[in-house]
Amino acid sequence: MRKNFARFSMLALALMLALSACGQPAATEAPATSAPSNEPFVFGMLYVGPYNDNGWSQAQYEGGLYVEKQLGAKMLYLDKVNPADRPGTTPDQLAEELVAKGAKLIIFSSDDMKDGASAFAKAHPEINVIMTSGDQVWSEGKNYVATPNMTNIMGRMEYGKMIAGCASALSSKTGQIGYLGPLINDETRRLAASAYLGAKHCWEKAGKNPADLKFKVDWVGFWFHIPGTTTDPVQISDNFYTTGYDVVISGIDNPVNLGEAQKQTKEGTPSFGLAYDYVAACEAAPDVCLGVPYFNWGPEYTKAIASAQDGSWKSQFVWLGPDWSNINNLDTSMVGFENGPALSADAAAAVKAFTAELAGGLNLWTGPLNLQDGSAYLADGEVATDQQVWYLPQLLEGMEGLSASK
Amino acid sequence: MLKARLKGLALQALAMALAFGAVSLILISAGASPLEAYQNMFFGSVGSTRKFAEVLVAFVPLLLATAGLLVTFSAGLWNIGVEGQVVMGAIVTTWVYRLFLESALPPALIISLAILGGMIGGAVWAALTGLLKTFGGVNEIFGGLGLNFVATAWTIYLIFGPWKRPGVASMSGTMPFPDEFSLPLLANLRISPWALALALIAIVIIYFLLQGTYFGLKLKAVGKNFRAAYLLGIPTWRYSLYSFLICGALAGAAGAVQVAAVYHRLIPSISSGYGYLGLMVAMLINYQAIWAIPVALLFAALNIGSIQLPIMMKLDSSLSGVLQGALVLFVLLMEGVRQKIVKRAP
């Protein structure tokens, strides 16, 4: 007993010594820097999902590779940055791991890391931060906090989603379109609404009765499935397809709906799906894929990182639409739409015409539009401001599904 | 006597070697260098002050859960429900914070109340398992498992329902609390000395409770032979319940620290699996409080060190979990071997 106690005290003492060492301000990590200028610029990226998820995170990863190629920079990354996959960690802590490995700029590439990105930017004013999809440094936004070392970058995916909605409406036989929503927030509401606006436009343009179009959103609860915590997106897709919805648009980080569409088609009910986020996502199931609205992060990330490199960095809010001269130009367009093999030739022609209309200035975010509960959103002829689009408070009238958590 | 001791030590060393050997084989089959992996994990956990502080951040809740489990294990109880007790501690802590969001009371008082609330929450949740066992005849393993699921489901309900961020329904958790609700952290680090002190005091108290008090002795009697203890006049069910209450309070404190010093809000996986990990630590140290600190520190270091694996070697960080599991398995296996040898010896 006494001997045990002696051992115990020694351990406790050792730990206290270690701790008191922590308390000393010195001995911070030697930043792996003061490097000669020919060493590559190192930037770090955090992905919310796996880097090869065939969706959001893979598009981010490809964006990082593009920067490496353009600038001769070096990317460090950590994927699956979410509390379910990396219990006990926080995004700001993981970002510090990348900084310890020499990263001079960190890209927090998911909405889920917003709090972590803000905390990190505040604690490390010397490290530049790109917070993807965020609005922290939008001076006209609702959550503005001046943060000189932070830039927000987002694509105007509203256009991609409108085209996706159009392709759905042109391909659906039943007139019932399902939208596989991730979690509910400003971004996901406005993107689901955009898909609806596109669907409605092309449905009516094809001469069909507006009353016959059904558009329903069902939410997963996160950007992808976390077993035991979120609803299963496979289940939601299956529910759509087995209840008459023959097209499901993915709004989540991967195209799991495509697998269910294949299953239904094999069983005799022709079904289709739209992927999301990643340019090559249709390859998962080309025979049922109508297309994919995707993000092309490379060029904007390159600009931002180049500015950090040459010292011209400026905190800014970037919300960029497609390059209308060619929305699929991977060197210039922030947002694109790639047709899927399952899109018929007629539909493809109509989608092309619609894209041309958008390029010519057609704005579907124009009144009269009501919110889901019937209250007025845009008066007749009124065009939505950026703030009205970004912070869409509810789904639109005519859409089924929850606008907010109950 | 000394020889038996040496034999025991040799077997434990063998167990360690086997665990590392097994994991090395997995690494080699994945085409990675085991040495490089261990090196990365080692320097990833103690390579700098900041990294070691992160280890301590994981160490605190792990040690608290382990300390609690030592009590229930001493009483012969398998408190699998410890995970749910951590969660419930976090829920109640969040609830107390929410009550005082607009209050003018000094933050120190609010933080203390919140942590105390978390401890009570954990204790009540543990008591439920105890009551189910004592009066419902539900084995604590099943009762605990069931209550774990209930606690997690409740967290998710609260995050998506009553405690959601305005206009949002996301797994990302509740709105972060203001800075003054955080347990004070060391400058530029994420570790709170208060949380660390809490965990160390807890393990010291548990050590003396089990080694040096009549209460501990009785508890062990209940654990070693429930019926004999009962016949000798120990109110066994009451002692079982006490052990649940103590364990639940400590597990609740772990959850409270997760909210008050780490996440500053409630998130779905707030327990971070520290309850289950605590079970492994308790098994690995053969329920001896004296080893809780070094082994919990080792496990926390493995958790933090393994973050280097995907960054540096494109390996999955779950390797640390494999190593932790292998350590427990082989140590238990060698314990079995030792007992066989002891029995065979004349």
Side-chain angles (χ1 to χ4, degrees):
Chain A
M1 160 76 203
R2 197 172 295 156
K3 207 164 125 208
N4 276 358
F5 178 64
R7 249 197 297 182
F8 187 90
S9 336
M10 263 163 66
L11 285 168
L13 192 72
L15 198 81
M16 275 172 203
L17 280 176
L19 181 75
S20 54
C22 289
Q24 283 156 11
T28 44
E29 262 158 280
T33 56
S34 67
S37 55
N38 58 355
E39 290 233 339
F41 183 88
V42 182
F43 65 100
M45 293 187 79
L46 299 175
Y47 313 129
V48 66
Y51 76 96
N52 55 355
D53 66 352
N54 202 22
W56 175 271
S57 292
Q58 190 159 359
Q60 295 290 343
Y61 175 68
E62 298 281 332
L65 292 181
Y66 184 90
V67 175
E68 278 193 325
K69 217 176 78 195
Q70 294 295 316
L71 300 179
K74 185 171 174 300
M75 163 172 66
L76 294 172
Y77 71 84
L78 196 54
D79 66 350
K80 296 193 272 182
V81 176
N82 63 75
D85 280 318
R86 299 200 181 280
T89 64
T90 54
D92 39 331
Q93 168 195 353
L94 298 173
E96 281 172 5
E97 293 294 340
L98 299 178
V99 171
K101 290 280 174 292
K104 304 276 212 325
L105 178 150
I106 300 287
I107 304 179
F108 292 83
S109 78
S110 168
D111 157 81
D112 194 49
M113 305 168 187
K114 227 172 147 179
D115 299 331
S118 293
F120 178 87
K122 203 172 131 195
H124 301 272
E126 77 287 2
I127 304 280
N128 287 327
V129 169
I130 297 177
M131 171 59 216
T132 308
S133 83
D135 62 345
Q136 293 106 312
V137 297
W138 188 14
S139 52
E140 291 97 44
K142 285 186 191 170
N143 304 306
Y144 178 63
V145 183
T147 315
N149 57 330
M150 184 187 279
T151 275
N152 289 134
I153 296 182
M154 185 57 176
R156 289 190 191 254
M157 182 44 79
E158 291 68 33
Y159 292 109
K161 288 290 184 183
M162 286 186 225
I163 301 173
C166 175
S168 315
L170 293 167
S171 308
S172 173
K173 302 279 177 292
T174 62
Q176 288 176 277
I177 298 168
Y179 190 93
L180 185 56
L183 46 90
I184 309 179
N185 68 9
D186 296 326
E187 174 190 331
T188 62
R189 269 191 295 265
R190 70 174 183 263
L191 292 182
S194 299
Y196 168 69
L197 290 175
K200 190 164 146 252
H201 178 82
C202 290
W203 181 262
E204 287 168 9
K205 201 146 192 217
K208 294 182 187 166
N209 182 358
D212 291 341
L213 181 72
K214 266 181 95 171
F215 191 101
K216 186 175 168 187
V217 187
D218 208 345
W219 305 97
V220 173
F222 195 59
W223 300 104
F224 46 82
H225 185 208
I226 298 179
T229 303
T230 66
T231 318
D232 186 354
V234 171
Q235 197 76 50
I236 294 178
S237 310
D238 195 60
N239 280 348
F240 274 134
Y241 287 124
T242 50
T243 53
Y245 291 81
D246 60 347
V247 180
V248 174
I249 304 172
S250 173
I252 65 172
D253 276 10
N254 53 47
V256 292
N257 54 324
L258 296 182
E260 290 309 289
Q262 269 181 325
K263 214 173 86 189
Q264 286 301 313
T265 307
K266 229 174 255 165
E267 285 167 12
T269 318
S271 303
F272 301 99
L274 280 113
Y276 182 31
D277 294 321
Y278 174 53
V279 60
C282 269
E283 281 166 22
D287 47 325
V288 295
C289 189
L290 296 175
V292 53
Y294 63 90
F295 290 100
N296 178 38
W297 301 101
E300 278 314 301
Y301 284 170
T302 303
K303 273 186 221 162
I305 292 176
S307 80
Q309 243 177 323
D310 65 22
S312 64
W313 171 275
K314 230 177 66 211
S315 166
Q316 47 182 332
F317 171 80
V318 178
W319 190 20
L320 209 63
D323 172 4
W324 286 117
S325 67
N326 175 9
I327 65 169
N328 289 320
N329 183 340
L330 294 182
D331 288 320
T332 55
S333 192
M334 171 84 226
V335 171
F337 184 90
E338 194 72 55
N339 287 354
L343 192 68
S344 71
D346 288 350
V351 164
K352 200 175 163 193
F354 176 58
T355 308
E357 274 186 273
L358 289 175
L362 170 70
N363 190 343
L364 298 185
W365 288 84
T366 305
L369 280 178
N370 286 343
L371 297 175
Q372 194 182 38
D373 65 3
S375 59
Y377 172 54
L378 296 173
D380 198 359
E382 185 186 356
V383 174
T385 62
D386 275 358
Q387 285 74 14
Q388 280 174 309
V389 175
W390 184 282
Y391 300 109
L392 181 68
Q394 295 175 27
L395 297 180
L396 297 175
E397 193 173 56
M399 301 172 74
E400 283 178 63
L402 288 179
S403 272
S405 172
K406 265 194 280 205
Chain B
M1 179 63 202
L2 184 71
K3 221 173 140 191
R5 251 234 148 96
L6 276 178
K7 219 176 248 172
L9 268 181
L11 282 171
Q12 286 197 347
L14 182 63
M16 294 267 261
L18 282 173
F20 276 93
V23 173
S24 300
L25 278 181
I26 296 174
L27 281 168
I28 291 169
S29 68
S33 149
L35 202 67
E36 193 190 344
Y38 297 141
Q39 217 169 24
N40 272 319
M41 285 166 84
F42 180 76
F43 288 110
S45 50
V46 298
S48 71
T49 309
R50 185 186 62 75
K51 283 180 171 135
F52 188 66
E54 300 292 356
V55 171
L56 291 178
V57 170
F59 169 72
V60 166
L62 183 57
L63 185 63
L64 282 167
T66 306
L69 285 164
L70 289 170
V71 180
T72 42
F73 272 124
S74 292
L77 296 165
W78 280 81
N79 185 17
I80 306 289
V82 62
E83 188 75 16
Q85 291 146 26
V86 176
V87 172
M88 204 43 73
I91 289 179
V92 177
T93 300
T94 309
W95 178 68
V96 174
Y97 271 150
R98 291 178 63 89
L99 286 182
F100 291 102
L101 267 182
E102 311 286 330
S103 132
L105 290 177
L109 181 64
I110 298 176
I111 296 171
S112 311
L113 284 175
I115 293 177
L116 192 68
M119 294 178 74
I120 294 172
V124 167
W125 207 242
L128 273 183
T129 314
L131 292 174
L132 276 171
K133 182 183 171 75
T134 315
F135 299 109
V138 182
N139 185 301
E140 76 274 10
I141 295 180
F142 302 120
L145 259 184
L147 287 171
N148 286 354
F149 281 109
V150 175
T152 307
W154 201 358
T155 316
I156 293 168
Y157 161 74
L158 288 169
I159 290 171
F160 278 92
W163 293 355
K164 65 171 192 283
R165 299 187 192 201
V168 172
S170 163
M171 274 262 306
S172 305
T174 59
M175 205 70 171
F177 293 120
D179 286 349
E180 61 266 25
F181 278 12
S182 167
L183 267 177
L185 310 179
L186 289 179
N188 298 322
L189 298 172
R190 254 181 296 274
I191 180 68
S192 161
W194 295 91
L196 190 63
L198 181 70
L200 291 176
I201 292 170
I203 190 68
V204 170
I205 291 178
I206 296 301
Y207 175 81
F208 282 109
L209 187 76
L210 294 178
Q211 302 296 322
T213 66
Y214 206 52
F215 177 86
L217 194 65
K218 283 186 184 168
L219 209 59
K220 281 191 213 164
V222 175
K224 287 256 184 323
N225 192 330
F226 193 81
R227 192 159 164 73
Y230 179 74
L231 290 176
L232 285 172
I234 301 175
T236 46
W237 70 268
R238 233 193 291 163
Y239 272 77
S240 293
L241 262 186
Y242 290 153
S243 75
F244 272 118
L245 283 173
I246 296 171
C247 180
L250 292 174
V257 167
Q258 286 286 91
V259 172
V262 183
Y263 285 105
H264 312 293
R265 63 185 199 269
L266 187 65
I267 60 169
S269 46
I270 188 74
S271 71
S272 305
Y274 290 135
Y276 291 129
L277 204 57
L279 282 166
M280 301 233 285
V281 174
M283 281 189 269
L284 187 60
I285 61 179
N286 200 17
Y287 321 129
Q288 312 206 330
I290 190 137
W291 290 104
I293 291 179
V295 174
L297 200 56
L298 171 71
F299 272 40
L302 286 173
N303 268 14
I304 299 302
S306 67
I307 293 170
Q308 301 301 316
L309 298 177
I311 302 177
M312 302 308 290
M313 300 172 71
K314 309 285 170 246
L315 287 173
D316 203 284
S317 356
S318 51
L319 195 75
S320 62
V322 178
L323 189 56
Q324 288 160 346
L327 274 173
V328 173
L329 269 180
F330 282 109
V331 166
L332 291 182
L333 189 71
M334 287 301 132
E335 178 62 19
V337 170
R338 189 187 65 84
Q339 283 181 1
K340 265 212 168 131
I341 296 174
V342 169
K343 251 185 222 158
R344 213 181 299 151

